[in-house]
Amino acid sequence: MPHILLFYKYAPLSSDPDIMAVYQKAMYDLCETLRLTGRVLVGMSDNAEGINGTLAGEDKKDVLAYTYAMLGKEWCSKNDTHGIVHHSDGTNKTDENSSVHNDAIHEFWIASEKFYEKAGIQPLTMDSPVDFKWSSVENNEGSKDSQNTNADGLFPDLQIKLVKEIIGTGGVLSNIPIEKTSKGYLTPQQWHEEMKKLTESQSTTIGGSSPANDTVLIDCRNHKEFEIGHFSNSIDPNTKTFEQFPRWVQQNKSALKDKKILMYCTGGIRCEKASAYVRNELESVSKSATVHHLQGGIHKYLDQFGAEGFFHGKNFVFDRRVGVDAKDHVDDKINGSSGNKKMVGKCLYCEKMHDAFTADSVCTVCRELTLVCTECKTGLNGEFHCADHRQLRNCYFTNLSRFSQKELASQLLELETLLESIAVGKRYKAKRRTLQKQILRVSDALSKVCSGDNILLDRTVVCRSCGDGKCDGGCWGVHGLKRKYVLEKEAIERPKKAMRPNANKRSSKVAQREKDILEIKTFGLSKPCHVYRCEHSSIRCPPPFLRELGSLVKGKWVGKSVQSVLQSEFHELAQTERLELLFKKSLIKLNGIPVNSEAALLKGVDSNKAVSQDISLKNMDVITRLTHWHEPPVVVPEKIEVKRIELPKEIVDEYLHEAGDSMLDVDNSLYCIGKPST
């Protein structure tokens, strides 16, 4: 029977990848010795991240040994470890297998201490055994899914990853300090009471004010997780990734103010940051809003209340089980529950009750898991579309070899029509790119059919992830490693794209640098200060010189006249008389051509010799100005003030002691000379 462990802790670590690699290796060695598989994310941050993991082991003692390693040496010395961790006097040793556990734990502690010392932080340990969330899976010999109910079936391998965030937010919530995340906890018992009050008030209140109207219940998880299970009357922000949650809060801030907000997620890790973010956002608009979240998440709630609680459906988990019913929670098994009493998921196609996500049922466009019942699968040839891509059900497919010329032409027409409808707007940029890629694929397939290269239609259903007709879909993510190997092979075989040169190595930048170097040499700007120093006044007086300064036309200048841009953007050219003089002297140029209205009006003068100052600027135009470049003139006064400042005796004595007798006659003062003004 495989045992699964979920855990997380926000704690300061290090942002140095070399230092973090020490802890990463220590963690990997520990898990490998204990024969654990799964995923552990270790956050590279000095103040806001920590550790987040899900691990599985066939033997409960292996998993238990890991929890003791994470609870730390001090906790283990004061509590019963069931013979897994040996005391220093040799007691508490039970069998040979426990020696393997003990050695692995102590080696992890030793390696971790080196990491803590290098990072300059306190040891990363879990506060209590309660912080771990346990579950297990029964092995049903001979059943269809028996191969997936061992530890290797739940996870294909072991990964210890160094990441910027232990729960991805795209950096939006990465700056929330740890001290703000541990607020507003509700224990499973307190949460249950809140759900009870909310349900009772909604059933008895028809209109007007009530606790139900003043309370907002928010599911912080993604839409696919909400689809198969949630608390009654909770709000689904309809996000695909947690990164989108802050945007939803911004869009609904006014509706959340002055409310009692209750939030929940799978294990509590997302609510920690989400609740802190909501609390911070509402402080400026509301004085009475309160924000609470379920401590330990749905997992801990189901452990305590199981199917008798207010959570309906399945709890989405990030291993091969995907969805876990209340009866699969450890404490609920002890209570003898028969499972959840309400199914909430529905098939996307026929809308019949269905709540089983399978590895082969992913959206053909975005690869998001989709709910598709067995009956609907048979007629869809392995090509499914999520709710966000429902409009592409008739024109977007991965396997194009099974379509005739007429079908491909119809798909192409529909794709082009959809592309035309979103041709304008920055918000549609990603959608346009998706449609354009598919249009190219369909066009290519259509040309092959028309030329007779692909006459035989291939109706074989192929895996959306790896492209193999024999694959059952279990080849990606936590389901398998085949897709990973396919992508690695494609990356090796794919011709490398020509890398765009670094900004400093582009031809325009190189030419500008060469021009600057030539200018420095020509005008002697690299010469030392004493070269241009006046013998009589000792003041530096370098000769003036002519210099051409230029600027590319900015986006906001496009369509405006040269004169209006120069007057609005350059303070010294705001006076019309001065600007007119510069135009007459041909000291201002556009793309190397003098800007001179009078010259442009003269007969026989073509546009290559002069352009009008009223000409409209275009993108990539270059405006240049010839200027008289010199250092500001210095006003030399008749007298220059000199101040004498005596150094403190302590400094003088220390200096003389180090210098020896040779410095006895030196003046022990500082002389400060007043600088002439410019």
Side-chain angles (χ1 to χ4, degrees), residues 16-179:
D16 189 324
D18 295 328
I19 295 175
M20 290 299 296
V22 176
Y23 188 75
Q24 182 186 27
K25 185 179 185 306
M27 180 67 69
Y28 188 89
D29 292 344
L30 172 66
C31 294
E32 189 177 43
T33 305
L34 297 177
R35 300 171 295 179
L36 304 179
T37 59
R39 306 284 183 267
V40 178
L41 304 180
V42 185
M44 293 201 301
S45 173
D46 298 320
N47 63 349
E49 295 303 318
I51 189 168
N52 175 25
T54 305
L55 294 170
E58 193 66 29
D59 189 337
K60 187 175 182 178
K61 278 194 173 181
D62 293 337
V63 186
L64 198 59
Y66 180 85
T67 66
Y68 293 148
M70 292 303 295
L71 285 166
K73 190 184 298 184
E74 186 178 346
W75 186 93
C76 291
S77 65
K78 297 176 181 178
N79 296 274
D80 180 19
T81 60
H82 303 89
I84 291 176
V85 182
H86 305 165
H87 295 160
S88 57
D89 58 3
T91 61
N92 205 26
K93 184 176 180 180
T94 56
D95 54 32
E96 202 171 304
N97 197 35
S98 70
S99 296
V100 176
H101 293 147
N102 179 71
D103 293 345
I105 291 169
H106 279 87
E107 285 174 11
F108 172 72
W109 285 343
I110 292 169
S112 297
E113 283 171 3
K114 293 178 181 177
F115 161 69
Y116 302 140
E117 186 178 345
K118 284 184 177 181
I121 60 171
Q122 294 296 316
L124 172 60
T125 57
M126 304 300 286
D127 298 328
S128 162
V130 179
D131 294 335
F132 295 100
K133 304 164 190 73
W134 289 80
S135 55
S136 58
V137 182
E138 297 286 350
N139 281 328
N140 299 318
E141 296 296 333
S143 69
K144 182 181 177 181
D145 296 327
S146 61
Q147 62 177 341
N148 299 332
T149 56
N150 54 42
D152 292 336
L154 292 172
F155 292 102
D157 61 352
L158 171 67
Q159 291 186 19
I160 313 294
K161 289 185 177 181
L162 298 181
V163 294
K164 292 182 179 179
E165 296 180 285
I166 57 174
I167 183 70
T169 69
V172 180
L173 306 184
S174 61
N175 59 348
I176 293 178
I178 293 171
E179 57 269 18

Side-chain angles (χ1 to χ4, degrees), residues 93 109 111 167 232 278 327 401 479 550 623 678:
K93 184 176 180 180
W109 285 343
I167 183 70
S232 298
V278 173
K327 65 183 177 63
S401 61
H479 303 281
I623 302 175
T678 57

Side-chain angles (χ1 to χ4, degrees), residues 53 133 214 230 249 345 350 418 469 472 481 495:
K133 304 164 190 73
D214 296 330
H230 51 260
V249 174
C350 66
L418 288 169
D472 62 354
L481 301 174

